[in-house]
Amino acid sequence: MKVLKFGGTSIGSAINMRQVMQIITDGESKVVVLSAMSGTTNALLDISEKIRGGHSGKASESIAVLEEKYDHVTEDLFARDETRKKCRVIVDKTFDLLRSFLYKGFSDREEKIVVAQGELLSTQLFAFLMEENGFSTVLLPALDFMRIDGDRATDVAAIRSLLSELMDNSPAADYYITQGFICRNPEGEIDNLDRGGSDYTASLIGAAIDAEEVQIWTDIDGFHNNDPRFVSNTRKIDQLSFNEAAELAYFGAKILHPQTIFPARVQNIPVRLKNTMNPDDSGTLITTSSDGSGIKAVAAKDGITAIKVRSGRMLMAYGFLKKIFEVFERYKTPIDMISTSEVAVSLTIDNTKYLEMIHQELLAFGEVEVDRNMSIICIVGDIIREERGFASKVFHALDGIPIRMISYGGSRYNISVLVPESHQKSTLQTLSDKLLNVHA
Ligand code: ADP
Ligand code: ASP
Ligand code: MG
């Protein structure tokens, strides 16, 4: 069986939802993972922020605006009044729930319930559409099988057994529809896999059911060799290896949630990226093998914070780095890049939730310097096969860019450099011009 995931734009209107129905109904049984309709998650987060900030009146206005959008979609999507009526009951219930959070205490727990409504609504609307058109469809509630543990890591064993039980107990159907992004935590509360998490849901389901292929359907024809939001002349890549795709996704390529590749790679399940607006295009195929050698693509991850700990006295001492890393471990804060010198260690983090506490604890080891608003630029390819001169090509291309850190040799697939966020776009463009498009 295949798992197909459709992102927000792919189901962003009644017309697009019908297009998705056409794509999936080829007679082959499949699992279909849907995001929220485009704009909905942002709107729900905005509503949450307003309630949390004590602006329930403003939140109420935003709820009304969103409700109107769903009223229109309900009108446009269905052919029969009977289906519209059924859908209206669900939409009304959802918006009553959202209004029930107004003028009350509001914490992370409530926010997660609010943002989950986007995927709950889109899948319900789509399931009604499928049923109205006579397709045998089952809606599998992701909250009944998608699980994260106390460290917010996904619990693959639990997902596998819960999903298999759920599918065994569901009526036989051709099309299984489920929500991306949402899950439950060990407390049994509604939680999520972070922004863009529906891609990750799809590969987790793929791994759980030993799928033949995981397809990520979006609004572009595949993985490009640079970020098309910032750079002109990007090109689609036909084939990437799991390792190359994982590095690019982890270091900021928005087309894939950073963790999407891991479950697929463990079980060697091909991941294909496809364009909902151009379904005949072959897209990008991600497997164990890659086509060609050399530099394949670049990506950027912004919002990075660099931390330097300077300690002439202790750096050479045995166990010094361990003590530094333990501080980050205590605050569950992953480190992305690291470089050392005789007197200092520099590292970068993405999650700054505990930065103040980390800063305080690091002061015990020496002087601490913190630089915010940095970007990691990640250059990916088969660096070993690129032979000698790879690093010099990269640094030649980066001439004139203020590089704050370099990481080379951590894997054979990636060189990363840290630059100020204000130089992100120009760095991506210069790499495009001088490294990626030289033979174009
Ligand atoms: P979806 O809503 O379908 O999940 P996303 O907006 O999350 O879609 O991801 C698709 C977008 O990712 C594209 O429209 C494009 O702007 C952006 N993007 C960033 N980097 C890349 C890349 N290297 N290749 C293709 N798209 C990219
Ligand atoms: N709806 C969620 C988001 O906007 C998850 C996703 O689209 O993948 O982040
Ligand atoms: Mg996405």
Side-chain angles (χ1 to χ4, degrees):
M1 212 193 283
K2 289 182 183 159
V3 180
L4 277 66
K5 174 262 170 175
F6 292 85
T9 322
S10 299
I11 52 157
S13 66
I15 296 174
N16 289 3
M17 280 209 191
R18 278 192 219 104
Q19 159 83 348
V20 169
M21 178 170 70
Q22 203 167 3
I23 290 171
I24 66 165
T25 49
D26 55 5
E28 262 185 45
S29 183
K30 51 180 69 71
V31 178
V32 178
V33 177
L34 299 183
S35 295
M37 295 179 80
S38 54
T40 300
T41 307
N42 284 345
L44 293 169
L45 282 168
D46 172 63
I47 289 164
S48 302
E49 202 181 308
K50 284 174 177 153
I51 304 177
R52 208 193 271 263
H55 308 293
S56 281
K58 288 225 163 5
S60 173
E61 285 167 25
S62 304
I63 293 173
V65 171
L66 191 63
E67 186 172 24
E68 205 179 308
K69 174 179 159 170
Y70 279 87
D71 288 342
H72 286 305
V73 177
T74 308
E75 279 308 304
D76 295 347
L77 190 58
F78 306 110
R80 288 195 221 123
D81 272 340
E82 191 195 327
T83 325
R84 282 195 195 100
K85 224 179 266 170
K86 268 201 305 190
C87 188
R88 252 180 238 127
V89 173
I90 300 288
V91 172
D92 287 351
K93 237 166 107 180
T94 305
F95 283 88
D96 285 348
L97 174 75
L98 293 181
R99 275 186 275 269
S100 76
F101 292 110
L102 295 171
Y103 306 103
K104 279 190 197 153
F106 196 87
S107 66
D108 287 352
R109 201 174 142 262
E110 284 77 23
E111 176 169 313
K112 285 177 178 154
I113 301 172
V114 167
V115 293
Q117 301 312 310
E119 272 72 11
L120 290 167
L121 269 176
S122 66
T123 47
Q124 185 61 79
L125 263 63
F126 191 73
F128 284 145
L129 178 69
M130 292 284 287
E131 282 161 22
E132 190 181 76
N133 285 273
F135 296 109
S136 111
T137 308
V138 161
L139 190 53
L140 297 171
L143 297 177
D144 289 355
F145 66 86
M146 199 48 73
R147 294 285 180 272
I148 52 173
D149 66 20
D151 290 327
R152 304 195 55 72
T154 46
D155 188 340
V156 179
I159 295 167
R160 180 182 275 268
S161 73
L162 289 169
L163 181 56
S164 119
E165 198 184 315
L166 189 63
M167 288 178 88
D168 288 347
N169 293 328
S170 300
D174 291 334
Y175 305 105
Y176 294 91
I177 315 291
T178 192
Q179 299 85 18
F181 178 59
I182 62 175
C183 62
R184 281 194 196 276
N185 60 29
E187 285 73 46
E189 296 164 346
I190 295 182
D191 213 311
N192 62 60
L193 305 176
D194 299 329
R195 293 308 304 268
S198 300
D199 304 329
Y200 191 29
T201 302
S203 67
L204 286 164
I205 293 177
I209 65 167
D210 299 313
E212 173 195 340
E213 185 168 286
V214 172
Q215 297 183 351
I216 308 291
W217 290 75
T218 181
D219 57 2
I220 189 164
D221 56 354
F223 218 118
H224 278 221
N225 64 353
N226 204 326
D227 195 322
R229 294 170 299 170
F230 304 123
V231 169
S232 52
N233 302 330
T234 63
R235 263 182 296 128
K236 184 191 85 169
I237 304 168
D238 293 327
Q239 225 178 311
L240 277 171
S241 69
F242 286 127
N243 292 327
E244 290 165 345
E247 300 270 12
L248 288 163
Y250 187 77
F251 287 109
K254 190 192 174 223
I255 187 165
L256 282 181
H257 178 278
Q259 292 176 79
T260 310
I261 295 301
F262 300 115
R265 177 168 60 184
V266 169
Q267 276 166 249
N268 199 9
I269 299 170
V271 177
R272 196 184 283 276
L273 309 187
K274 297 270 291 173
N275 187 351
T276 310
M277 321 305 158
N278 184 15
D280 293 332
D281 191 279
S282 57
T284 297
L285 180 64
I286 303 166
T287 60
T288 44
S289 51
S290 163
D291 59 348
S293 61
I295 299 159
K296 296 286 281 289
V298 301
K301 184 170 172 178
D302 53 19
I304 299 294
T305 298
I307 302 168
K308 185 187 279 183
V309 186
R310 202 190 307 264
S311 167
R313 196 166 41 89
M314 287 190 70
L315 192 68
M316 293 298 283
Y318 180 73
F320 176 73
L321 285 177
K322 178 170 176 267
K323 286 183 196 139
I324 300 260
F325 289 150
E326 274 168 356
V327 175
F328 291 87
E329 193 187 334
R330 258 197 303 286
Y331 291 102
K332 295 188 176 170
T333 301
I335 296 168
D336 286 330
M337 283 177 80
I338 163 151
S339 75
T340 58
S341 78
E342 199 195 345
V343 289
V345 50
S346 286
L347 34 83
T348 71
I349 59 170
D350 177 23
N351 179 354
T352 51
K353 191 168 175 191
Y354 302 109
L355 181 60
E356 269 319 302
M357 277 99 106
I358 290 171
H359 191 161
Q360 282 309 312
E361 290 204 22
L362 290 176
L363 285 171
F365 304 109
E367 274 171 52
V368 179
E369 209 178 286
V370 174
D371 276 325
R372 291 174 183 262
N373 304 325
M374 308 296 284
S375 262
I376 296 177
I377 310 286
C378 166
I379 301 139
V380 161
D382 195 335
I383 291 166
I384 301 290
R385 281 205 284 165
E386 177 68 17
E387 296 163 359
R388 272 178 287 176
F390 181 89
S392 81
K393 267 191 210 168
V394 169
F395 295 125
H396 186 69
L398 292 175
D399 190 24
I401 304 278
I403 299 175
R404 166 73 200 271
M405 268 172 81
I406 298 166
S407 168
Y408 178 40
S411 86
R412 61 183 274 184
Y413 307 103
N414 152 354
I415 288 188
S416 301
V417 295
L418 187 75
V419 302
E421 228 168 62
S422 54
H423 283 74
Q424 172 181 308
K425 200 173 158 197
S426 58
T427 308
L428 288 174
Q429 188 67 58
T430 201
L431 287 168
S432 225
D433 298 342
K434 296 186 185 161
L435 272 188
L436 297 170
N437 286 335
V438 275
H439 305 300

Tab-separated table of all heavy atoms in Angstrom, residues 16 45 87 91 114 128 146 150 196 199 202 227 234 237-238 248-249 259 268 286 306 312-313 319 331 342 388 398:
chain	number	residue	atom	x	y	z
A	16	ASN	N	-9.362	22.546	-5.341
A	16	ASN	CA	-8.162	21.744	-5.085
A	16	ASN	C	-8.505	20.419	-4.403
A	16	ASN	O	-7.891	19.391	-4.686
A	16	ASN	CB	-7.160	22.530	-4.235
A	16	ASN	CG	-6.517	23.664	-5.012
A	16	ASN	OD1	-6.863	23.895	-6.170
A	16	ASN	ND2	-5.612	24.376	-4.389
A	45	LEU	N	-3.215	29.648	15.215
A	45	LEU	CA	-2.141	30.101	16.113
A	45	LEU	C	-2.336	31.561	16.482
A	45	LEU	O	-2.092	31.981	17.618
A	45	LEU	CB	-0.775	29.897	15.446
A	45	LEU	CG	-0.268	28.460	15.486
A	45	LEU	CD1	0.923	28.275	14.553
A	45	LEU	CD2	0.126	28.054	16.909
A	87	CYS	N	-22.045	18.362	7.035
A	87	CYS	CA	-20.783	19.081	7.199
A	87	CYS	C	-20.956	20.282	8.133
A	87	CYS	O	-20.107	20.556	8.977
A	87	CYS	CB	-20.275	19.525	5.829
A	87	CYS	SG	-18.638	20.224	5.897
A	91	VAL	N	-18.751	21.627	11.302
A	91	VAL	CA	-18.136	22.962	11.310
A	91	VAL	C	-18.653	23.761	12.521
A	91	VAL	O	-17.877	24.372	13.262
A	91	VAL	CB	-18.410	23.708	9.973
A	91	VAL	CG1	-17.955	25.161	10.043
A	91	VAL	CG2	-17.709	22.995	8.820
A	114	VAL	N	-6.578	23.779	20.059
A	114	VAL	CA	-7.030	24.739	19.043
A	114	VAL	C	-6.355	24.463	17.695
A	114	VAL	O	-7.031	24.338	16.671
A	114	VAL	CB	-6.771	26.197	19.529
A	114	VAL	CG1	-6.934	27.194	18.399
A	114	VAL	CG2	-7.709	26.533	20.686
A	128	PHE	N	-16.217	13.498	3.686
A	128	PHE	CA	-17.595	13.718	3.188
A	128	PHE	C	-17.607	13.789	1.661
A	128	PHE	O	-18.489	13.248	1.006
A	128	PHE	CB	-18.193	15.011	3.760
A	128	PHE	CG	-18.649	14.911	5.201
A	128	PHE	CD1	-18.531	16.000	6.060
A	128	PHE	CD2	-19.238	13.750	5.708
A	128	PHE	CE1	-18.962	15.931	7.387
A	128	PHE	CE2	-19.677	13.672	7.038
A	128	PHE	CZ	-19.533	14.761	7.868
A	146	MET	N	-1.363	8.061	16.677
A	146	MET	CA	-0.093	8.796	16.573
A	146	MET	C	0.365	9.211	17.978
A	146	MET	O	-0.372	9.897	18.679
A	146	MET	CB	-0.321	10.013	15.671
A	146	MET	CG	0.930	10.632	15.082
A	146	MET	SD	2.131	9.543	14.320
A	146	MET	CE	1.350	9.053	12.810
A	150	GLY	N	7.729	11.087	26.290
A	150	GLY	CA	8.008	12.204	27.201
A	150	GLY	C	9.083	13.145	26.679
A	150	GLY	O	9.150	14.306	27.085
A	196	GLY	N	4.680	21.983	9.961
A	196	GLY	CA	5.022	21.162	8.791
A	196	GLY	C	4.999	19.668	9.078
A	196	GLY	O	5.441	18.854	8.262
A	199	ASP	N	4.177	15.925	6.907
A	199	ASP	CA	5.120	15.105	6.120
A	199	ASP	C	5.631	13.960	6.996
A	199	ASP	O	5.744	12.813	6.559
A	199	ASP	CB	6.356	15.930	5.696
A	199	ASP	CG	6.016	17.177	4.927
A	199	ASP	OD1	5.001	17.175	4.217
A	199	ASP	OD2	6.780	18.164	5.045
A	202	ALA	N	3.203	11.193	7.521
A	202	ALA	CA	3.118	10.283	6.372
A	202	ALA	C	4.230	9.245	6.410
A	202	ALA	O	3.990	8.058	6.174
A	202	ALA	CB	3.175	11.076	5.071
A	227	ASP	N	16.658	27.185	-2.466
A	227	ASP	CA	15.355	27.582	-1.938
A	227	ASP	C	14.655	28.551	-2.902
A	227	ASP	O	15.065	29.706	-3.042
A	227	ASP	CB	15.550	28.242	-0.565
A	227	ASP	CG	14.242	28.334	0.191
A	227	ASP	OD1	13.197	28.605	-0.452
A	227	ASP	OD2	14.246	28.145	1.419
A	234	THR	N	16.341	28.192	-9.659
A	234	THR	CA	16.518	26.900	-8.990
A	234	THR	C	16.045	25.810	-9.950
A	234	THR	O	15.223	26.058	-10.830
A	234	THR	CB	15.706	26.829	-7.685
A	234	THR	OG1	14.319	26.935	-8.013
A	234	THR	CG2	16.082	27.944	-6.737
A	237	ILE	N	15.550	18.484	-8.683
A	237	ILE	CA	16.481	17.347	-8.663
A	237	ILE	C	15.642	16.085	-8.870
A	237	ILE	O	14.641	15.886	-8.183
A	237	ILE	CB	17.215	17.278	-7.301
A	237	ILE	CG1	17.922	18.593	-7.004
A	237	ILE	CG2	18.183	16.109	-7.265
A	237	ILE	CD1	18.418	18.727	-5.576
A	238	ASP	N	16.029	15.222	-9.819
A	238	ASP	CA	15.225	14.017	-10.091
A	238	ASP	C	15.368	12.973	-9.004
A	238	ASP	O	14.408	12.306	-8.644
A	238	ASP	CB	15.634	13.389	-11.434
A	238	ASP	CG	15.276	14.302	-12.593
A	238	ASP	OD1	14.241	15.006	-12.479
A	238	ASP	OD2	16.033	14.355	-13.577
A	248	LEU	N	19.329	18.042	3.909
A	248	LEU	CA	18.677	19.253	3.383
A	248	LEU	C	17.426	19.588	4.186
A	248	LEU	O	17.169	20.753	4.504
A	248	LEU	CB	18.315	19.066	1.906
A	248	LEU	CG	19.518	19.066	0.957
A	248	LEU	CD1	19.135	18.482	-0.392
A	248	LEU	CD2	20.073	20.482	0.796
A	249	ALA	N	16.638	18.562	4.531
A	249	ALA	CA	15.407	18.812	5.294
A	249	ALA	C	15.760	19.297	6.697
A	249	ALA	O	15.160	20.244	7.206
A	249	ALA	CB	14.568	17.540	5.361
A	259	GLN	N	12.250	15.869	10.062
A	259	GLN	CA	12.424	14.462	10.446
A	259	GLN	C	11.788	13.460	9.478
A	259	GLN	O	11.814	12.253	9.731
A	259	GLN	CB	11.849	14.258	11.840
A	259	GLN	CG	12.679	14.994	12.879
A	259	GLN	CD	12.076	14.895	14.239
A	259	GLN	OE1	12.213	13.882	14.898
A	259	GLN	NE2	11.384	15.925	14.673
A	268	ASN	N	13.840	1.564	4.464
A	268	ASN	CA	14.125	1.606	3.032
A	268	ASN	C	12.845	1.779	2.191
A	268	ASN	O	12.627	1.070	1.210
A	268	ASN	CB	14.878	0.331	2.646
A	268	ASN	CG	15.599	0.496	1.325
A	268	ASN	OD1	15.673	1.615	0.794
A	268	ASN	ND2	16.086	-0.596	0.776
A	286	ILE	N	13.347	9.825	-3.667
A	286	ILE	CA	14.373	9.720	-2.623
A	286	ILE	C	14.487	8.253	-2.205
A	286	ILE	O	13.517	7.652	-1.736
A	286	ILE	CB	14.004	10.603	-1.405
A	286	ILE	CG1	13.820	12.064	-1.850
A	286	ILE	CG2	15.068	10.486	-0.315
A	286	ILE	CD1	13.148	12.951	-0.817
A	306	ALA	N	24.138	31.409	18.000
A	306	ALA	CA	25.497	30.880	18.207
A	306	ALA	C	25.941	31.201	19.630
A	306	ALA	O	25.702	32.308	20.133
A	306	ALA	CB	26.454	31.510	17.206
A	312	GLY	N	40.338	29.681	28.721
A	312	GLY	CA	41.736	29.311	28.546
A	312	GLY	C	42.165	28.254	29.544
A	312	GLY	O	42.969	27.380	29.254
A	313	ARG	N	41.571	28.294	30.713
A	313	ARG	CA	41.988	27.427	31.812
A	313	ARG	C	41.528	25.979	31.603
A	313	ARG	O	42.230	25.046	31.901
A	313	ARG	CB	41.366	27.989	33.086
A	313	ARG	CG	41.954	27.501	34.375
A	313	ARG	CD	41.480	28.408	35.520
A	313	ARG	NE	40.059	28.775	35.385
A	313	ARG	CZ	39.067	28.063	35.889
A	313	ARG	NH1	39.298	26.970	36.548
A	313	ARG	NH2	37.820	28.467	35.738
A	319	GLY	N	37.262	16.019	29.786
A	319	GLY	CA	35.884	16.086	30.281
A	319	GLY	C	35.225	17.454	30.158
A	319	GLY	O	34.060	17.613	30.511
A	331	TYR	N	18.689	20.706	29.403
A	331	TYR	CA	17.586	21.551	28.928
A	331	TYR	C	16.998	21.044	27.608
A	331	TYR	O	16.299	21.776	26.904
A	331	TYR	CB	18.051	23.001	28.799
A	331	TYR	CG	18.309	23.618	30.156
A	331	TYR	CD1	19.597	23.759	30.659
A	331	TYR	CD2	17.238	24.001	30.971
A	331	TYR	CE1	19.834	24.286	31.915
A	331	TYR	CE2	17.466	24.530	32.233
A	331	TYR	CZ	18.764	24.666	32.700
A	331	TYR	OH	18.973	25.181	33.947
A	342	GLU	N	41.733	26.181	20.725
A	342	GLU	CA	42.425	25.868	21.980
A	342	GLU	C	41.766	26.561	23.170
A	342	GLU	O	41.783	26.058	24.273
A	342	GLU	CB	43.887	26.284	21.852
A	342	GLU	CG	44.757	25.596	22.868
A	342	GLU	CD	46.106	26.268	22.996
A	342	GLU	OE1	46.458	27.060	22.112
A	342	GLU	OE2	46.773	26.008	24.004
A	388	ARG	N	39.094	15.986	-4.881
A	388	ARG	CA	39.783	17.101	-4.241
A	388	ARG	C	39.235	18.441	-4.728
A	388	ARG	O	38.679	18.528	-5.816
A	388	ARG	CB	41.277	17.039	-4.577
A	388	ARG	CG	42.005	16.172	-3.567
A	388	ARG	CD	43.436	16.066	-3.924
A	388	ARG	NE	43.624	15.202	-5.085
A	388	ARG	CZ	44.797	14.997	-5.649
A	388	ARG	NH1	45.852	15.599	-5.205
A	388	ARG	NH2	44.892	14.193	-6.675
A	398	LEU	N	32.144	31.523	-1.668
A	398	LEU	CA	31.672	32.324	-0.527
A	398	LEU	C	32.555	33.548	-0.264
A	398	LEU	O	32.392	34.212	0.758
A	398	LEU	CB	31.608	31.454	0.734
A	398	LEU	CG	30.524	30.367	0.712
A	398	LEU	CD1	30.618	29.500	1.946
A	398	LEU	CD2	29.133	31.000	0.613
